[in-house]
Amino acid sequence: MAPDQLLPHKTRLETSYAFSRTFNSRNMEFYWYPLWCQTLFDLVAGVPNLIVAPQFPVWIVKHNDQLEGADDGDDPEEVEEPERTAQEEQGVAGGIQVPGNNVEGEGDHEPEPDSEAGDISFASTVPENNTESVLVDFAVVSLTAMPQSEEKLRYGGWRITAATTCLLVEVKRSASRSLKNDELDAEIKMHIEEARSDLVSQAGLLFLQDKTKDSIMAIAAAGPYWSGTTIHRGDVMRTMDQLSNDDPSYRPPGNRLSDRKLQWNKILRLDGASSVAASEARLRTICKKMREVGNQTTNAK
């Protein structure tokens, strides 16, 4: 019997793994990453130039008016991070909170609602000096490339001429497994709202980083539940203004800026009995739009 007949589809295993009280006793968001990673890889498997980029960095460089000195301008890899205290080293591991050794009673062993386990993960390394950087859980990037000569095959044989971010995905932990009905729905919505809020900031950073980009698709997830939208540059003008305030070179506009209310679609469950067809159809639509973004980038070259 073939291996795929012995076990269910990987996404089912990954869902069961994340829901497991044995392996995910604290209901951490990390255990939902395999499900979303698999879903995104499956989504773009048939599109050669669309790649999935986990822990995707978006950043803005804070400029200053000082002239560069002889010791300035180090390459990114040469910039050393400030030394962390022992307490910081113990509390942070690659942007993911490490659970403590305390043992709780029966139940989910989940973090308190006010804990930061599901917050944005800030990059531990930055691409340049004076940079504000955020790691997005996943992004899908459209690449445009041209073949290289044989002597440059060590670089993969292709020269990347354009890389366009098509989709941002922010994943939060699922709702408590002990909840049902209205209480379950309310907590799912709460975690989805957290992801939506993070995506607004991430989109703002992306627009500041890429002055030519006018929109970005986004998925806000809480465990297997998700909702999507397209965020346009004009939707997050106030957020972009706030993100730019720490930049000494930034000159705020005279008029008062505001963010528009985004139109997020209905929350679905990836593997829900009543929503799996709708979820798959929505994902196919997202993939089609990402193909179109890639085609536009290629035609513009």
Side-chain angles (χ1 to χ4, degrees):
M1 185 177 292
D4 59 345
Q5 293 176 298
L6 292 172
L7 293 173
H9 191 273
K10 284 184 180 180
T11 54
R12 293 186 180 181
L13 286 177
E14 290 153 350
T15 302
S16 298
Y17 178 53
F19 271 130
S20 170
R21 294 176 185 268
T22 300
F23 296 99
N24 188 14
S25 61
R26 291 175 59 85
N27 191 21
M28 297 175 67
E29 76 175 48
F30 168 82
Y31 289 88
W32 290 102
Y33 291 174
L35 170 65
W36 279 100
C37 188
Q38 187 71 48
T39 298
L40 295 171
F41 271 99
D42 289 347
L43 182 64
V44 302
V47 190
N49 68 317
L50 292 181
I51 66 166
V52 178
Q55 297 293 283
F56 184 75
V58 290
W59 66 83
I60 53 173
V61 179
K62 299 174 184 177
H63 302 282
N64 59 58
D65 298 327
Q66 297 178 353
L67 294 176
E68 184 177 286
D71 296 329
D72 293 335
D74 291 332
D75 287 336
E77 61 269 21
E78 296 174 354
V79 177
E80 294 184 2
E81 293 183 58
E83 290 186 5
R84 289 194 182 128
T85 64
Q87 184 177 2
E88 287 173 331
E89 287 290 347
Q90 184 177 7
V92 178
I96 300 172
Q97 273 205 344
V98 180
N101 293 325
N102 55 309
V103 179
E104 303 176 20
E106 293 182 1
D108 285 338
H109 303 286
E110 297 168 2
E112 293 299 321
D114 293 335
S115 77
E116 298 179 356
D119 290 348
I120 293 178
S121 302
F122 284 88
S124 59
T125 58
V126 293
E128 297 189 44
N129 285 324
N130 304 318
T131 306
E132 180 175 343
S133 180
V134 168
L135 293 180
V136 185
D137 289 334
F138 297 97
V140 175
V141 181
S142 174
L143 300 178
T144 304
M146 58 185 298
Q148 290 284 74
S149 57
E150 289 187 7
E151 61 267 22
K152 295 184 179 180
L153 287 178
R154 65 184 183 278
Y155 297 123
W158 293 84
R159 178 174 177 266
I160 305 301
T161 58
T164 304
T165 308
C166 303
L167 174 68
L168 301 177
V169 181
E170 183 65 20
V171 181
K172 298 299 181 185
R173 61 192 177 97
S174 188
S176 172
R177 288 159 290 201
S178 61
L179 298 179
K180 296 180 180 180
N181 303 325
D182 291 345
E183 289 183 337
L184 175 62
D185 292 341
E187 187 160 323
I188 290 170
K189 290 178 182 177
M190 181 186 71
H191 292 314
I192 291 285
E193 285 298 331
E194 291 176 4
R196 289 172 176 174
S197 177
D198 287 354
L199 284 162
V200 168
S201 297
Q202 293 163 7
L205 283 169
L206 187 67
F207 293 142
L208 290 169
Q209 179 184 338
D210 183 355
K211 305 297 183 183
T212 67
K213 194 162 192 63
D214 292 322
S215 65
I216 182 71
M217 287 183 285
I219 288 178
Y225 301 93
W226 69 290
S227 173
T229 193
T230 298
I231 303 174
H232 298 272
R233 179 179 289 270
D235 295 335
V236 293
M237 297 301 292
R238 181 171 179 268
T239 295
M240 292 168 61
D241 177 61
Q242 292 175 329
L243 290 169
S244 302
N245 278 338
D246 292 336
D247 186 345
S249 68
Y250 176 65
R251 300 294 179 265
N255 56 320
R256 187 176 179 180
L257 300 174
S258 61
D259 285 353
R260 298 172 185 161
K261 184 178 176 59
L262 297 175
Q263 299 300 313
W264 293 89
N265 50 30
K266 179 182 177 182
I267 297 174
L268 298 176
R269 178 167 166 167
L270 282 174
D271 62 341
S274 60
S275 63
V276 64
S279 190
E280 290 177 353
R282 186 188 290 175
L283 286 170
R284 285 194 296 270
T285 299
I286 291 173
C287 187
K288 180 181 177 182
K289 290 180 178 179
M290 291 192 294
R291 281 177 181 263
E292 293 170 354
V293 170
N295 291 337
Q296 290 170 5
T297 303
T298 301
N299 293 336
K301 296 297 174 182

